[in-house]
Amino acid sequence: MSQTSSTPPTAPTAARARAWAAGALLVGAPLLVLLLWLGYADSVPDPLPRHWNAAGEVDGTTSVRTMTLLSGIVAAAAAAVGTAALGMRAHLTVAAEVVLGAGWVGWLMTSVYLTVMLNAEGAASADDVTLSYLWTAVVVLLPAALAWLLWRLVRGTGARRPAPATPASSLTISEQERVVWVGRASSRVLLLIAGALVLAGTALASGVAREALVLVGVGVLLGLMHRLTVRVDREAVTVRWGPVPLIRHRRPLTSIVAARAEQVEPMRWGGWGYRISTRGRAAVVRRGPGLVLSLDTGSEFAVTVDRPEEAAELVNALLASRAGTSA
């Protein structure tokens, strides 16, 4: 009696299936706009509401045609960019990031259109349309959730650069030895800008409260992110922003191939802050010395930090120790 056994899909087949699923998700945004227009265009008021104030009253309208065209064109353009990135993923190291951004933009426009059309159905005029906080949550959460799903589908399928060999290190570390290195970097310029924004917001608070709140919020955010801390231990390289370590980036040592010290030029990595570019990702608060990690995905991660030579030496020694243990 013969037995048949099913073999699991190969890695290329699984990656191709994930790419097809991501493409369908991208194209689904403009298709949903088209379906909503076909199904609801005759049962909604014209013009449609496009904005509600804090009291829940409509304070802005636009025609059905304009809203449909704008939503459809933006969603279709985002889908085109995302699917193009999928097609070039074998040669594009940031394919996953491009797909994520395109998916978020496309589904944000579609979520807004969906919310307006469903809530406006049967209303006599735009002023009769109300919007609950539940639908606001839909507009915020649905694009984020679908972008995250796209990221999960496409992550790791982009082009990979050849991984460099781990540089030799002068440090010798035993298996039982506890090692920790901590370094920091800060930017006085960002701190001064943050202080100026907070002062400007405070001065405007009595006149234009909404704009003042935005200025103060941006100032506080910059103030929290003007400094970062880098920690190297046996498990990972961890970057924490600000005095309150709520935002962090962790790179497990198992995902690192090599480390080096380098002069970090912000514009070569996409600017200041947490950046994503064709070189990889970077945490940048200033121009100057930094630590650059070569990852097993073929991309790089850079972080500005004082005394990066010490950190690179320790990372390479830890990598050599792991390699010797596994051998």
Side-chain angles (χ1 to χ4, degrees):
M1 183 176 180
S2 63
Q3 292 182 342
T4 59
S5 60
S6 59
T7 57
T10 61
T13 302
R16 195 178 303 114
R18 293 200 306 272
W20 275 102
L25 198 55
L26 288 166
V27 175
L31 285 179
L32 182 56
V33 171
L34 177 62
L35 293 174
L36 287 168
W37 175 70
L38 292 174
Y40 290 88
D42 295 331
S43 57
V44 296
D46 195 358
L48 284 168
R50 61 176 173 83
H51 191 268
W52 287 260
N53 60 24
E57 301 168 340
V58 176
D59 61 359
T61 60
T62 190
S63 68
V64 174
R65 179 181 180 182
T66 299
M67 179 170 283
T68 302
L69 286 175
L70 179 63
S71 302
I73 289 173
V74 172
V81 171
T83 52
L86 283 173
M88 296 187 296
R89 67 187 185 279
H91 310 285
L92 186 65
T93 58
V94 291
E97 288 81 0
V98 174
V99 172
L100 182 149
W104 182 81
V105 170
W107 278 102
L108 177 64
M109 295 300 297
T110 301
S111 299
V112 171
Y113 189 74
L114 170 74
T115 297
V116 172
M117 295 297 275
L118 292 184
N119 282 275
E121 183 186 16
S125 68
D127 292 332
D128 297 329
V129 181
T130 58
L131 189 68
S132 67
Y133 287 108
L134 177 61
W135 282 103
T136 304
V138 169
V139 171
V140 173
L141 297 178
L142 181 61
L146 294 177
W148 175 84
L149 179 57
L150 283 167
W151 170 261
R152 296 287 296 179
L153 288 170
V154 185
R155 184 180 61 175
T157 62
R160 298 192 174 199
R161 302 185 184 95
T166 302
S169 175
S170 60
L171 298 177
T172 302
I173 302 173
S174 65
E175 293 184 21
Q176 294 77 24
E177 187 175 358
R178 182 178 182 270
V179 289
V180 175
W181 181 92
V182 177
R184 295 178 177 84
S186 61
S187 171
R188 293 181 180 178
V189 174
L190 284 180
L191 188 59
L192 289 173
I193 294 174
L197 289 173
V198 171
L199 289 175
T202 304
L204 294 172
S206 58
V208 280
R210 182 179 301 177
E211 290 78 0
L213 184 61
V214 172
L215 287 176
V216 171
V218 173
V220 170
L221 182 62
L222 285 178
L224 291 174
M225 299 188 70
H226 86 284
R227 184 180 71 180
L228 54 77
T229 302
V230 180
R231 175 189 169 98
V232 179
D233 56 36
R234 283 189 175 276
E235 299 300 323
V237 176
T238 305
V239 179
R240 290 185 172 89
W241 292 87
V244 182
L246 297 178
I247 305 175
R248 71 172 191 169
H249 313 289
R250 186 175 185 273
R251 300 289 171 182
L253 213 62
T254 53
S255 69
I256 300 172
V257 176
R260 69 181 186 275
E262 182 180 294
Q263 285 292 114
V264 173
E265 293 292 334
M267 296 312 297
R268 292 182 181 177
W269 291 91
W272 286 259
Y274 184 70
R275 315 304 299 177
I276 298 175
S277 68
T278 54
R279 294 188 65 179
R281 294 170 175 79
V284 181
V285 295
R286 53 139 174 85
R287 176 184 290 107
L291 174 68
V292 180
L293 305 175
S294 298
L295 307 178
D296 59 0
T297 59
S299 63
E300 294 182 326
F301 178 78
V303 55
T304 47
V305 66
D306 298 336
R307 311 185 323 276
E309 297 83 3
E310 299 175 5
E313 185 83 2
L314 178 56
V315 170
N316 290 326
L318 290 170
L319 291 174
S321 175
R322 278 178 173 264
T325 302
S326 61

